[in-house]
Amino acid sequence: MLQPLVAVSTDVKHFENYDWHATPKQYLEAAIAGAGVFPVLVPSFGDRLDLDRLLESVDGVMLTGSKSNVQPSLYGAEATEANGPYDPQRDATTLPLIRKALERGVPLLAICRGIQELNVALSGTLATEIQERPGSLDHRAPVSDDQDERFGIRQSISIKPGSCLAGVFGAGEIMVNSVHRQAIDGLGDRLQVEAVAEDGTIEAVSVRDSRAFAVGVQWHPEYWVHADGNSAKIFRAFGEAARVHAQARNGLRTAAE
């Protein structure tokens, strides 16, 4: 089976006296096993990278979740210590990568921090510490040393009829493992809401008039890709889009030769 290359975002972490550009294993496992793609880590070096050259060579982009948040100055807000930590090197890489991928019609899957990056890249804004808003659910993970408990599937969301994700899951309610403390506030240009939580929090978006699959989800399908049917479905849809892109790109290359 064709295994397309997919660019994967990285966080900049300092440990063992080194700065590491890395991503959690769960995302890579889900890319390989769930989407059937070859994940390629993109170091977070901002404008030092030739992102156009990268996008000529890959058939998808996956933006991962992270403990860090998008720098608030990028959407007109003020950074606070409570809303951190931040990762400006990642921001400087992922935001232009998103815009260029959409311009080129490269399939895109944005998860957790990724959906927030997608929104900010398209001129949207974010709401911070949403558990403090009147009427809002607490979307944060429960306090536990057990990751399975922290990422348990416990939240109901409603998929909008006629949406892109309705074609993946069907319309109506599904259960997900949404674990976050900030969310989309002002919706970015070209974005449309795909799913919402019971309290109205936006849990998924897609890009209107996109030339390829371009979806952001606030929850974590990567965590249960082997055990939960809905978690597997979104990676399967992303992988299929990447293979379609690869076949089209290879066809164009063959024709040019």
Side-chain angles (χ1 to χ4, degrees):
M1 181 184 294
L2 177 66
Q3 193 178 46
L5 299 180
V6 166
V8 180
S9 59
T10 57
D11 301 323
V12 180
K13 301 283 190 181
H14 185 79
F15 59 96
E16 296 181 346
N17 294 320
Y18 290 97
D19 286 331
W20 296 73
H21 293 237
T23 199
K25 175 184 175 181
Q26 285 88 347
Y27 294 96
L28 305 178
E29 173 65 24
I32 297 168
V37 301
F38 188 135
V40 178
L41 299 188
V42 179
S44 292
F45 283 102
D47 61 10
R48 295 174 64 190
L49 302 177
D50 186 346
L51 297 179
D52 289 308
R53 179 70 183 91
L54 171 69
L55 292 169
E56 289 173 358
S57 306
V58 301
D59 298 296
V61 171
M62 184 172 74
L63 305 170
T64 66
S66 175
K67 184 176 182 179
S68 69
N69 289 326
V70 177
Q71 170 61 239
S73 63
L74 295 170
Y75 54 91
E78 184 177 347
T80 66
E81 184 175 347
N83 185 235
Y86 304 115
D87 188 343
Q89 294 179 79
R90 172 166 167 157
D91 295 337
T93 307
T94 54
L95 269 62
L97 178 60
I98 289 166
R99 298 183 189 111
K100 288 178 179 291
L102 294 177
E103 288 172 7
R104 289 176 170 270
V106 177
L108 174 74
L109 176 60
I111 299 170
C112 189
R113 188 194 209 271
I115 189 179
Q116 297 170 14
E117 290 168 323
L118 173 60
N119 193 55
V120 172
L122 297 179
S123 302
T125 62
L126 303 176
T128 63
E129 308 306 329
I130 60 171
Q131 68 277 358
E132 298 174 1
R133 298 186 303 188
S136 177
L137 297 172
D138 190 342
H139 295 256
R140 294 173 298 178
V143 178
S144 174
D145 292 329
D146 184 337
Q147 283 290 83
D148 285 359
E149 182 178 354
R150 294 185 70 250
F151 283 87
I153 296 174
R154 61 176 61 87
Q155 179 175 301
S156 173
I157 65 169
S158 178
I159 307 293
K160 295 207 167 188
S163 66
C164 174
L165 288 185
V168 176
F169 303 115
E173 293 189 356
I174 64 170
M175 299 298 292
V176 300
N177 56 344
S178 197
V179 180
H180 57 106
R181 59 189 178 94
Q182 64 177 33
I184 289 175
D185 188 13
L187 195 63
D189 298 339
R190 297 180 61 199
L191 291 183
Q192 60 190 10
V193 177
E194 293 274 326
V196 295
E198 295 174 23
D199 60 359
T201 298
I202 295 173
E203 289 286 335
V205 297
S206 64
V207 180
R208 290 193 306 272
D209 304 320
S210 174
R211 293 161 52 195
F213 182 94
V215 168
V217 298
Q218 188 62 72
W219 69 92
H220 287 271
E222 80 288 345
Y223 195 86
W224 298 107
V225 70
H226 289 293
D228 174 61
N230 285 327
S231 296
K233 283 178 181 178
I234 192 163
F235 278 97
R236 192 177 306 125
F238 175 56
E240 289 171 357
R243 277 180 283 279
V244 168
H245 187 274
Q247 290 165 359
R249 188 166 59 85
N250 290 336
L252 288 172
R253 178 184 301 162
T254 300
E257 293 172 351

